[in-house]
Amino acid sequence: MNIVISESQYKLLLEENNELFKRVKLPYDYSDLKEFVGPETMWEHYNRHYKGYTDKLNESFSHRKNPPTDILAIIKNIDKYNTFVRDNAGGYYNHSLFWDYITPKSTKPSLELSKKIDKDFGSLSKLKKVFSEQAIKVFGSGWCWLVYKDGKLKVVTTPNQDNPLMSDLGKPLLGLDVWEHAYYLNYMSNRKKYIKNFWKVVNWDTVSKEFNLVV
Ligand code: MN3
């Protein structure tokens, strides 16, 4: 499926360039991750949900003379802000990370990361099992994460659009969006199958790179 960008959509993209927080570019085509989700899901997710969070985050600071510009600082100090900012800053930041957690390329964990996974989980397949079980259990909408905390790799979940850094759960290395909007068109309510196919597209290069930054 080819995605045609209409003139009005193109204008929106141009407008967005003047905004404080901008969407990151999708590092592949909408149809490149068919093993995981189809182009319609990718398009909706990127152009409606992600754009929605981005627009609302910008809107929430539009009246400020000196708005905060560092998204990571906002995330880490989220208790200073109201729920509207929490939801949309989280939505903006989590999705900005998410696009790079998945890839059509074939990747594998670095040697250093592999060793750490074996040490903390026993094996990569055990990590996948723990992560998948936690992801299935998220009640309603939220995320499942692999984080680095106090020298260890851990699997944690967050509700809504919360990021692990908001509640000191650790530094995120990998995250999976388990909101229904991320998979419903392809899987209906079969979240389990969506999670199973996630492993086919995980970008281990990103996870390894993020791991390198914290150790
Ligand atoms: Mn989403």
Side-chain angles (χ1 to χ4, degrees):
M1 178 183 156
N2 285 321
I3 304 293
V4 178
I5 295 187
S6 70
E7 202 178 329
S8 61
Q9 284 164 344
Y10 184 65
K11 272 184 193 153
L12 280 175
L13 283 174
L14 287 180
E15 271 171 34
E16 201 176 43
N17 289 333
N18 299 319
E19 296 287 358
L20 184 59
F21 296 103
K22 298 169 183 65
R23 285 184 293 170
V24 298
K25 257 191 107 186
L26 205 59
Y28 34 74
D29 287 338
Y30 299 110
S31 55
D32 282 351
L33 295 167
K34 280 183 195 139
E35 281 186 301
F36 179 45
V37 291
E40 294 88 353
T41 296
M42 281 305 299
W43 195 93
E44 286 286 318
H45 205 176
Y46 183 81
N47 291 296
R48 295 206 204 280
H49 299 280
Y50 181 34
K51 186 171 192 306
Y53 301 124
T54 309
D55 287 349
K56 285 178 195 152
L57 178 63
N58 283 319
E59 189 189 305
S60 64
F61 294 127
S62 60
H63 62 286
R64 292 213 195 175
K65 239 186 195 169
N66 295 303
T69 53
D70 181 351
I71 186 62
L72 198 53
I74 296 172
I75 296 291
K76 285 179 176 171
N77 297 288
I78 203 69
D79 292 340
K80 288 185 187 167
Y81 301 93
N82 61 27
T83 309
F84 186 82
V85 173
R86 184 183 193 106
D87 290 343
N88 291 295
Y92 170 72
Y93 187 59
N94 290 348
H95 288 84
S96 297
L97 297 172
F98 184 58
W99 312 124
D100 214 24
Y101 288 149
I102 48 183
T103 180
K105 289 183 218 155
S106 172
T107 61
K108 57 181 187 181
S110 67
L111 190 62
E112 293 78 12
L113 178 60
S114 288
K115 281 184 190 162
K116 188 65 177 156
I117 289 171
D118 289 349
K119 188 165 181 242
D120 292 346
F121 289 94
S123 66
L124 180 58
S125 62
K126 280 187 185 153
L127 157 62
K128 289 179 182 175
K129 189 169 179 274
V130 172
F131 188 105
S132 301
E133 282 167 1
Q134 290 293 315
I136 287 163
K137 272 194 250 168
V138 173
F139 183 74
S141 300
W143 291 71
C144 187
W145 306 88
L146 174 68
V147 299
Y148 187 79
K149 166 87 173 158
D150 300 331
K152 282 193 93 172
L153 296 174
K154 287 177 184 170
V155 172
V156 299
T157 62
T158 54
N160 308 312
Q161 291 295 353
D162 277 13
N163 182 277
L165 293 172
M166 288 179 178
S167 38
D168 202 23
L169 290 174
K171 148 95 182 162
L173 307 180
L174 174 69
L176 175 62
D177 186 343
V178 294
W179 283 57
E180 276 193 348
H181 71 228
Y183 60 88
Y184 201 80
L185 277 177
N186 298 103
Y187 299 95
M188 302 306 277
S189 59
N190 193 345
R191 187 192 283 181
K192 197 176 174 180
K193 199 173 169 196
Y194 163 73
I195 294 164
K196 195 176 165 223
N197 286 336
F198 171 60
W199 299 112
K200 295 179 184 171
V201 297
V202 167
N203 190 343
W204 289 107
D205 288 347
T206 299
V207 187
S208 303
K209 197 179 74 196
E210 293 296 315
F211 176 67
N212 260 343
L213 293 174
V214 288
V215 290

